[in-house]
Amino acid sequence: MKVTLAKTAGFCYGVRRAVELAEQTAQSGRACVMLGSIIHNDHVVEHLARQGMGRVDRVEDVPEGAAVLIRSHGEAKEVYDQLQARGIEIIDATCPSVARIHHLVQDAEARGRQPVIIGLPTHPEVMAIAGWCRSPVVLRDCDALAAWLAEDAKRYSLPLTFVFQTTSTRETWKNCEKFAKKECTNAELFDTICNATARRQSEAQELAAQSDVMVVIGDHQSSNTRHLAELCQACCGQVYWIEQADELELERWGEASCVGITAGASTPGWIIKEVKTKMSNETKMEIEESFAELLEKSIKTLNTGDKVVGTVVQITPTDIQVDLGTKHAGYISMSEFSDDPSVKADEVLKPGDQIEVLVLRVNDGEGVVSLSKKRLDANKNWEEIEDAKENKTVIEATIREENKGGVVANYKGVRVFIPASQTGLRRNEPMTGLVGETVKMHITEVNRSRRRVVGSIRSVASEERAARSKAIWDTIEVGKHYSGTVKSLTSYGAFVDIGGVDGMVHISELSWSRIKHPSEVVSVGDPVDVYVIKYDPEKKKISLGMKDPNENPWETFLNRYSVGDVATVKVVKLMSFGAFAEVVPGVDGLIHISQIADHRVEKPEDELKEGDIVDVKITDVNLETRKVSLSRRAAMQGAAEDEE
């Protein structure tokens, strides 16, 4: 016969903590009584009684001078008030998960909401939770919730906040969640089911489905053990719920070959060990490990500064609950989640996700561990920054603000100062435009103790420009086309960045038309298409052209006119020796002073002015020198002859 032992069995953290507090108090010799049974297990209560820990059921019965141990299920706020009024020392063994529910219902009522507690109304834990709000509503399950809501429409007058008994089943939670989201406006649901309980129940169901016999160990007063037995009965034909080893009836198991065993959260290790020992002595069973050993394996020691990996259990507006697989309940406050205020925990995490965190503080008294993801990330990010400086790695960061003398970037929560001289901007150019931009930079200085980091955008830009420049000079050739950007203008041309190298487009190469200044064609920042006319690698000079050969105006001119044709032209410039006139855009011809009129002309401006439209005869075309000779006089004579 093979026995499979559940991994999660026996004392849960809250119970173990309560029992340890009770034992420590009893062994200290102080007069102390527990208020009610510390946990649902008579064997444990009797064990503590033998050590000197008494028990009372009412505050009035607490002996003078004695301290009071609050049980793991917790007590109502009124009980605390009564004890404090009498000056009685309180040793609070309330399970941290239960204490958290007390805060949730108290806060919900303070915010004008109606607390709704889902759980067994007579259970001590539920009764204690109800005692932390003035008008609690306690409902057993989803059916009771539906009936309560159906009784009176006024139930909807306040928004509802739901909490659950820590030992409730996942099925109860899911049913209530689905119903509340459908029927209730602005409902607020907190998954307060203990993660260890949920894991214990899930493991028990899985084990029961694989076993011929299932043994559930735990006190018959224990609610969580009852749930375990019920879940196992749904999956296995033979389920035995026992409190101790002498209740085992092995002869009833018949020919069972597989036996599964689990234990409730209030079951002490010694009872589990007794059951295991009896089964080993009376039958030949294959038992790999004792429950006590498995239980000890599940308990890890935590210290401040430890890096640990846990499982996200629940995300609330104020904190994130993390299961660390230890006897402590782990919490990350929202202020310790991320340095980036735009990051929302519920958008990047969900229950069940693994998360690595840093232990900030271990409170054994309350059984709580304060955790931080932000600080762990910060440590990692500092290491990344130090590595980036050491290896001259390029990192990307977002500029958050302009500061005196420079700008400040945020790299994963670490501030990086970039001096104005290292921004890559021109002198006196406003730095405001960088705010909000994601930039590449080198880290040039790191001092973690002073939390000082200095970066340089310019050095990265210089490296990238040098790499692009090399690539261009390695592949440049006459006639090659590039897409560039106009960087600056002069009276004689435009300088164009073709991707790491600047080339110059002479004014004569900007347009086929006659222009007086490059600004007539391009502006700084314009994207342009250019081609290489010539280049000098030694002097690092490149001459570029921008005129499209397909739009050569001489081709237009020659296709339209021949020597002897009369053309209508526009006077564009007057000189002492004549006037230049545009025949077609990009082709000018000279009207010599002797050809301006049919009579003697002293000065061209006596007959013409810039902008005049006149008829001329084309008298000569020199394709080599690209010169055209025009005669207004000949055109005038031809017109006179036509009139005769």
Side-chain angles (χ1 to χ4, degrees):
M1 185 181 295
K2 180 179 180 180
V3 175
T4 303
L5 309 175
K7 293 180 180 179
T8 305
F11 278 174
C12 67
Y13 160 66
V15 170
R16 174 179 288 273
R17 172 177 172 272
V19 173
E20 287 178 352
L21 276 175
E23 288 180 332
Q24 291 167 7
T25 303
Q27 292 167 8
S28 70
R30 283 187 294 170
C32 184
V33 295
M34 65 181 85
L35 187 58
S37 296
I38 187 171
I39 63 172
H40 274 154
N41 191 289
D42 289 341
H43 300 283
V44 173
V45 173
E46 291 170 4
H47 165 73
L48 292 172
R50 289 193 294 271
Q51 292 190 344
M53 176 67 67
R55 169 186 164 174
V56 297
D57 293 319
R58 301 183 310 163
V59 173
E60 294 85 348
D61 297 333
V62 177
E64 288 297 328
V68 168
L69 183 77
I70 301 293
R71 56 188 173 179
S72 63
H73 295 120
E75 291 289 353
K77 185 176 185 304
E78 181 184 8
V79 172
Y80 286 84
D81 293 341
Q82 291 175 356
L83 291 171
Q84 289 170 352
R86 287 187 56 188
I88 296 174
E89 179 187 357
I90 298 173
I91 301 171
D92 200 342
T94 303
C95 171
S97 297
V98 176
R100 178 170 173 268
I101 305 176
H102 296 172
H103 296 309
L104 288 174
V105 296
Q106 191 176 36
D107 176 68
E109 199 166 62
R111 290 185 288 119
R113 304 181 68 89
Q114 172 61 60
V116 178
I117 306 162
I118 304 296
L120 188 64
T122 57
H123 192 280
E125 176 190 318
V126 175
M127 295 170 67
I129 295 169
W132 284 86
C133 44
R134 295 183 300 275
S135 303
V137 172
V138 180
L139 304 168
R140 185 185 184 96
D141 50 27
C142 188
D143 290 339
L145 171 61
W148 176 73
L149 288 173
E151 283 180 13
D152 192 342
K154 291 183 180 179
R155 304 291 189 197
Y156 295 94
S157 60
L158 291 178
L160 306 181
T161 293
F162 291 85
V163 296
F164 293 75
Q165 183 178 336
T166 58
T167 54
S168 291
T169 63
R170 280 287 167 204
E171 183 180 5
T172 299
W173 154 259
K174 290 178 181 178
N175 289 340
C176 289
E177 180 187 39
K178 182 178 179 181
F179 183 83
K181 288 184 176 180
K182 180 180 178 182
E183 300 294 333
C184 305
T185 302
N186 195 25
E188 190 177 62
L189 291 98
F190 289 93
D191 180 1
T192 53
I193 296 175
C194 175
N195 193 56
T197 297
R199 187 166 60 243
R200 185 194 311 274
Q201 293 172 352
S202 175
E203 290 174 5
Q205 283 181 298
E206 184 177 347
L207 186 55
Q210 301 170 358
S211 304
D212 299 321
V213 173
M214 192 71 189
V215 177
V216 180
I217 309 171
D219 196 288
H220 286 291
Q221 299 177 47
S222 169
S223 175
N224 79 84
T225 308
R226 179 180 298 103
H227 284 316
L228 276 181
E230 291 170 351
L231 291 170
C232 291
Q233 286 166 355
C235 304
C236 179
Q238 290 190 73
V239 177
Y240 299 95
W241 179 3
I242 63 173
E243 290 191 1
Q244 52 189 352
D246 58 14
E247 295 177 31
L248 282 171
E249 298 179 355
L250 305 181
E251 65 278 0
R252 297 178 59 184
W253 295 3
E255 299 297 323
S257 59
C258 297
V259 177
I261 304 178
T262 187
S266 300
T267 306
W270 75 78
I271 291 182
I272 299 172
K273 186 175 181 179
E274 287 176 355
V275 172
K276 175 257 181 182
T277 301
K278 182 173 182 179
M279 292 174 66
S280 299
N281 292 339
E282 297 190 14
T283 61
K284 292 182 179 180
M285 293 185 175
E286 182 185 340
I287 300 180
E288 300 174 356
E289 209 165 8
S290 73
F291 279 112
E293 289 169 334
L294 284 170
L295 195 59
E296 288 305 317
K297 278 189 175 183
S298 71
I299 299 173
K300 305 172 187 175
T301 301
L302 293 178
N303 298 295
T304 299
D306 285 352
K307 296 178 184 179
V308 293
V309 176
T311 302
V312 176
V313 176
Q314 183 182 11
I315 302 170
T316 74
T318 57
D319 57 38
I320 303 163
Q321 184 179 354
V322 180
D323 176 18
L324 301 173
T326 71
K327 65 179 185 177
H328 297 84
Y331 294 95
I332 309 171
S333 68
M334 287 305 173
S335 62
E336 290 294 335
F337 180 67
S338 175
D339 249 328
D340 188 344
S342 66
V343 174
K344 307 299 181 186
D346 56 359
E347 293 178 0
V348 297
L349 285 178
K350 63 181 183 302
D353 284 352
Q354 295 290 300
I355 184 171
E356 187 176 17
V357 290
L358 184 73
V359 176
L360 295 184
R361 185 171 58 259
V362 180
N363 189 327
D364 287 318
E366 296 182 3
V368 173
V369 179
S370 297
L371 307 169
S372 175
K373 180 178 181 297
K374 178 177 75 175
R375 300 192 197 190
L376 180 63
D377 290 344
N379 287 341
K380 289 181 177 179
N381 297 337
W382 275 98
E383 291 170 3
E384 286 184 26
I385 285 175
E386 290 170 338
D387 182 70
K389 178 182 181 298
E390 182 71 23
N391 298 307
K392 299 182 180 179
T393 307
V394 176
I395 65 171
E396 290 188 0
T398 302
I399 305 297
R400 294 298 188 194
E401 62 183 89
E402 182 179 358
N403 205 342
K404 184 178 180 180
V407 292
V408 177
N410 182 298
Y411 179 74
K412 298 182 179 180
V414 179
R415 287 169 59 89
V416 182
F417 176 66
I418 303 163
S421 62
Q422 298 301 313
T423 60
L425 300 176
R426 296 184 181 88
R427 186 184 295 274
N428 298 325
E429 185 176 352
M431 293 181 288
T432 307
L434 285 175
V435 177
E437 294 292 318
T438 298
V439 298
K440 295 179 180 179
M441 70 177 76
H442 282 134
I443 299 300
T444 58
E445 180 184 339
V446 180
N447 188 323
R448 197 193 290 208
S449 62
R450 295 178 57 194
R451 304 190 70 79
R452 174 179 169 81
V453 182
V454 179
S456 172
I457 300 172
R458 189 181 73 176
S459 64
V460 175
S462 297
E463 280 188 1
E464 292 178 344
R465 186 176 180 85
R468 292 195 302 268
S469 175
K470 183 178 184 304
I472 287 175
W473 283 109
D474 287 346
T475 59
I476 195 169
E477 57 186 34
V478 173
K480 188 169 184 177
H481 284 255
Y482 293 95
S483 293
T485 303
V486 178
K487 296 297 291 294
S488 63
L489 301 178
T490 68
S491 60
Y492 52 84
F495 285 93
V496 176
D497 179 359
I498 57 174
V501 177
D502 286 352
M504 204 271 285
V505 184
H506 191 268
I507 189 170
S508 63
E509 295 295 335
L510 283 170
S511 173
W512 290 107
S513 301
R514 182 186 295 273
I515 59 173
K516 295 181 179 180
H517 194 273
S519 59
E520 296 177 37
V521 179
V522 293
S523 300
V524 173
D526 283 353
V528 292
D529 292 322
V530 294
Y531 55 89
V532 178
I533 295 176
K534 62 180 180 179
Y535 62 92
D536 187 336
E538 292 184 2
K539 295 182 179 180
K540 299 295 182 183
K541 290 184 177 181
I542 303 174
S543 295
L544 302 171
M546 211 174 84
K547 297 187 295 189
D548 186 349
N550 296 323
E551 297 177 359
N552 190 334
W554 279 91
E555 296 293 332
T556 303
F557 170 74
L558 294 174
N559 289 333
R560 186 180 301 177
Y561 299 108
S562 300
V563 174
D565 289 346
V566 175
T568 301
V569 299
K570 178 182 179 181
V571 177
V572 294
K573 192 172 184 179
L574 297 177
M575 306 293 288
S576 60
F577 52 84
F580 285 99
E582 183 183 71
V583 184
V584 296
V587 177
D588 293 346
L590 174 64
I591 310 172
H592 191 268
I593 190 170
S594 64
Q595 300 298 315
I596 288 177
D598 55 2
H599 56 272
R600 183 178 177 80
V601 175
E602 294 293 335
K603 294 184 293 184
E605 53 265 33
D606 291 342
E607 293 288 327
L608 299 172
K609 62 181 183 295
E610 290 185 8
D612 281 353
I613 304 298
V614 296
D615 289 335
V616 295
K617 179 177 282 190
I618 300 172
T619 58
D620 186 55
V621 176
N622 189 325
L623 293 178
E624 290 184 5
T625 59
R626 296 291 179 96
K627 291 182 179 180
V628 179
S629 297
L630 306 174
S631 175
R632 183 171 177 243
R633 175 181 177 181
M636 294 171 70
Q637 290 175 347
E641 291 174 358
D642 290 341
E643 289 179 1
E644 293 178 356

